[in-house]
Amino acid sequence: MISATAPGKVILLGEHAVVYGRPAIAVPVWQAVATAEVAASGAGCTLVARDLGQQWRLAEAGDDQPLALVARLALTALGLPPDPDWTITLHSTIPIASGLGSGAALSTALVRAIFARAGRDAPPAQVSAIVYESERIYHGTPSGIDNTVIAYGAPIWFVKGQPPAPFRPPQPFTLVIAHTGIASPTKTTVAAVRAAWQAAPARYEARFDAVAALVTAARGAIQRGDWPLLGMLMDENQALLEQLDVSSPVLERLIDVARGAGALGAKLSGGGRGGNLIALVQTAAAETVAAALRAGGAATVLVTTVA
Ligand code: PMV
């Protein structure tokens, strides 16, 4: 049996503006992972999504099925037959539609497992490019940040259309990730920002530039281990996301809870209007902030170290 894994992810700063060519920073979340296992079978290739209670015969699934599409692209890239005698079982501890990149993580684990089964290395750039094709089915016009951070498995500095720059922070830092309990409709929020940008391009370009400036400042803050500054920049990013109209009362209430419990900064993460918020905390304050968020009604709370 061959198996492969991939982490979840959160966007630290720069979501939405990243769709318009501005930089963003994303980090992997190893507390939630997707796994793919390949076993021999006698009857063609079957993909089994255990958590969804669904399965597909690869030979019958269309290219609008994201997992079937990436399996097919991986097999083609490896020069393997299109319907090998394998059962590939997929499992994930990453909540679906939560902004943690569950779809990209499942696709990444799947591609890696197929490469491993073929006895081949799976270079992150190649895995990322294959997984991007499935992101297009989930999200319409994705920037590519999710597949990139998950395939590289490291914090990344990301600008659409440029090679990503993975980096290691000189000192680790701690994030509390809390889910609002409300699904984040990324496709809808991305389309809403696009419509607003088309209606008032100058105003939105200025907001995207402001996001770019603080993402750039955040890179310096991470390099210097200046966590108070990074927290402040996250707060400023949240204010700009509110101006882009992708926040929500529930997100803002929980962001206030995190700040009130001692977070250095907090903001929504990902598409917004639901999904996750992230809070930067001193490691010693992580449990206090996490408990406050749980008490405040967050559906799930996860603490992760970015290293
Ligand atoms: O909702 P998520 O975590 O997949 O993030 C979406 C990020 C956006 O910047 C809003 C869209 C994109 O494609 O980058």
Side-chain angles (χ1 to χ4, degrees):
M1 170 99 72
I2 297 279
S3 83
T5 59
K9 71 95 208 1
V10 286
I11 297 177
L12 190 61
L13 300 130
E15 51 275 273
H16 285 291
V18 71
V19 175
Y20 299 83
R22 273 51 166 205
I25 298 173
V27 302
V29 175
W30 292 99
Q31 279 71 11
V33 295
T35 308
E37 292 170 348
V38 187
S41 85
C45 187
T46 305
L47 302 175
V48 181
R50 239 167 60 193
D51 312 293
L52 304 176
Q54 287 186 336
Q55 63 178 55
W56 304 272
R57 295 293 310 270
L58 188 55
E60 289 159 18
D63 277 347
D64 55 348
Q65 210 306 313
L67 295 168
L69 173 66
V70 295
R72 213 166 274 135
L73 291 172
L75 291 167
T76 306
L78 292 163
L80 292 174
D83 192 24
D85 280 340
W86 298 343
T87 297
I88 308 180
T89 306
L90 298 148
H91 169 60
S92 170
T93 58
I94 307 170
I96 294 167
S98 68
L100 283 170
S102 59
L106 270 180
S107 293
T108 301
L110 173 58
V111 173
R112 282 189 182 141
I114 291 174
F115 272 66
R117 180 64 177 72
R120 295 266 294 272
D121 284 341
Q126 191 177 9
V127 174
S128 181
I130 292 174
V131 174
Y132 180 75
E133 295 306 316
S134 65
E135 288 289 285
R136 280 156 43 109
I137 301 175
Y138 289 119
H139 289 325
T141 55
S143 63
I145 191 167
D146 281 20
N147 48 285
T148 303
V149 64
I150 289 169
Y152 282 79
I156 54 152
W157 171 266
F158 180 87
V159 180
K160 194 168 91 176
Q162 294 182 13
F167 67 92
R168 294 277 170 207
Q171 301 166 42
F173 59 95
T174 306
L175 295 175
V176 180
I177 305 167
H179 195 259
T180 53
I182 299 162
S184 174
T186 302
K187 217 170 181 165
T188 312
T189 55
V190 169
V193 171
R194 183 165 299 277
W197 169 72
Q198 278 163 347
R203 189 183 318 146
Y204 272 72
E205 286 292 325
R207 288 173 183 166
F208 298 149
D209 283 342
V211 172
L214 66 85
V215 174
T216 304
R219 179 162 66 168
I222 293 169
Q223 272 153 3
R224 292 190 303 277
D226 187 345
W227 310 129
L229 175 60
L230 180 60
M232 213 178 77
L233 292 165
M234 287 169 67
D235 288 345
E236 283 175 22
N237 196 169
Q238 170 61 26
L240 285 161
L241 287 160
E242 288 170 20
Q243 288 181 29
L244 296 179
D245 194 25
V246 294
S247 187
S248 75
V250 178
L251 278 164
E252 286 161 33
R253 191 178 57 73
L254 289 172
I255 286 166
D256 282 347
V257 167
R259 290 176 185 156
L264 298 168
K267 60 181 279 295
L268 71 83
S269 174
R273 293 197 185 159
N276 283 309
L277 62 115
I278 54 173
L280 177 70
V281 296
Q282 302 285 6
T283 308
E287 274 318 312
T288 309
V289 173
L293 286 164
R294 279 188 205 103
T300 52
V301 180
L302 220 142
V303 177
T304 193
T305 301
V306 181

